[in-house]
């Protein structure tokens, strides 16, 4: 779908997340506007409505975007769990959301951050459920929530960042967590009181 001026303005004003894929094309997620794609070659901005939610429903808002592989995106939603998008077929597929009666479902429907490690394991940061780790081979989730055993400091996860054997987890509550994926334990570090929300940024890369 080619977007008109109003939709273009909505995409810019309401932008939540930006992702550059392996083909160097740009994808925008927005609170109410769903998913937008900018093709650098044609300079064309295209809007893809999420058919799982009606227009105007806040749950369709895309608040994080990551690449599952060269043809598929993972979209973290604002209350709708997460969904996959096939870039080649231009179709949404496999909506996944929290089921309170299923312990193997994602822990929460608000998914502000997504991270995929070198093993292909997908980490979902949620607002009230801590981390949900998904193994594509086992097709089930494992929840990691704050307990005295694993040391995770807060149930609200804002960002992930990988260095060597450590996954750094930014949370609300004044702590940053150094997580060991092999032992599923972490060490929490208290930051100054005025920094209640932690976000870890990737280094700026030259173009």
């Amino acid at each position: 779908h080619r977007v008109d001026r109003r939709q273009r303005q909505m995409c810019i004003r309401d932008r939540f997340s930006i992702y550059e894929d392996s083909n160097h094309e740009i994808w925008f997620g927005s609170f109410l506007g769903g998913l937008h794609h900018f093709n650098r070659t044609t300079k064309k901005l295209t809007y893809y409505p999420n058919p799982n939610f009606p227009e105007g429903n806040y749950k369709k808002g895309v608040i994080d975007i990551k690449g599952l592989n060269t043809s598929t995106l993972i979209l973290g939603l604002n209350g709708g769990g997460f969904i996959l998008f096939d870039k080649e077929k231009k179709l949404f597929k496999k909506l996944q959301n929290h089921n309170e009666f299923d312990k193997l479902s994602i822990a929460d429907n608000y998914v502000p951050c997504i991270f995929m490690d070198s093993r292909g394991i997908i980490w979902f940061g949620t607002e009230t459920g801590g981390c949900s780790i998904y193994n594509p081979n086992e097709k089930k989730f494992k929840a990691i929530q704050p307990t005295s055993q694993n040391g995770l400091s807060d149930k609200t996860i804002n960002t992930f960042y990988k260095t060597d054997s450590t996954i750094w987890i930014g949370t609300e509550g004044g702590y940053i967590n150094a997580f060991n994926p092999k032992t599923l334990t972490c060490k929490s570090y208290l930051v100054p009181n005025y920094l209640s929300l932690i976000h870890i940024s990737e280094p700026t890369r030259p173009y």
Side-chain angles (χ1 to χ4, degrees):
H1 300 73
R2 191 72 178 266
V3 296
D4 59 22
R5 178 179 296 179
R6 183 185 64 83
Q7 289 173 318
R8 251 191 337 264
Q9 290 173 343
M10 178 177 65
C11 173
I12 296 171
R13 182 180 65 250
D14 196 38
R15 187 173 62 243
F16 256 35
S17 54
I18 306 173
Y19 175 73
E20 181 181 4
D21 67 20
S22 56
N23 295 320
H24 304 293
E25 295 182 355
I26 307 299
W27 300 83
F28 301 93
S30 60
F31 185 72
L32 291 179
L35 182 66
H36 303 258
H37 168 237
F38 179 73
N39 187 304
R40 291 187 180 213
T41 302
T42 64
K43 308 301 182 183
K44 178 182 176 182
L45 183 67
T46 306
Y47 168 57
Y48 297 101
N50 186 338
N52 295 277
F53 301 103
E55 287 296 319
N57 189 317
Y58 73 92
K59 292 184 179 181
K60 70 181 293 182
V62 176
I63 52 180
D64 196 23
I65 306 171
K66 291 293 184 295
L68 178 63
N69 50 48
T70 57
S71 62
T72 306
L73 299 175
I74 313 175
L75 312 178
L77 303 181
N78 182 49
F82 74 95
I83 195 168
L84 303 182
F85 181 76
D86 189 315
K87 295 189 295 181
E88 296 177 352
K89 297 180 179 179
K90 314 301 183 187
L91 294 174
F92 291 92
K93 58 182 182 178
K94 294 185 178 179
L95 175 70
Q96 299 279 347
N97 51 31
H98 173 64
N99 182 345
E100 61 180 318
F101 303 108
D102 183 2
K103 294 182 178 180
L104 299 181
S105 69
I106 192 168
D108 182 28
N109 282 329
Y110 186 87
V111 184
C113 56
I114 304 169
F115 167 74
M116 186 163 64
D117 66 25
S118 58
R119 302 169 297 164
I121 305 300
I122 307 169
W123 298 61
F124 295 91
T126 72
E127 184 178 50
T128 64
C131 295
S132 279
I133 303 176
Y134 182 73
N135 187 325
N137 295 324
E138 298 178 358
K139 300 185 185 302
K140 61 182 181 180
F141 290 89
K142 178 180 178 60
I144 300 179
Q145 298 178 333
T147 66
S148 58
Q149 286 76 28
N150 64 40
L152 190 63
S153 64
D154 195 271
K155 64 182 179 181
T156 301
I157 310 299
N158 296 308
T159 189
F160 297 103
Y161 189 78
K162 177 78 162 54
T163 58
D164 298 325
S165 60
T166 300
I167 296 177
W168 295 89
I169 303 175
T171 70
E172 291 189 359
Y175 285 84
I176 189 169
N177 301 262
F179 196 88
N180 186 322
K182 293 183 178 180
T183 62
L184 300 183
T185 60
C186 69
K187 184 175 181 180
S188 300
Y189 298 91
L190 180 65
V191 298
N193 291 333
Y194 55 85
L195 295 178
S196 61
L197 185 150
I198 301 298
H199 181 81
I200 307 169
S201 298
E202 294 189 15
T204 302
R205 58 190 178 93
Y207 288 90

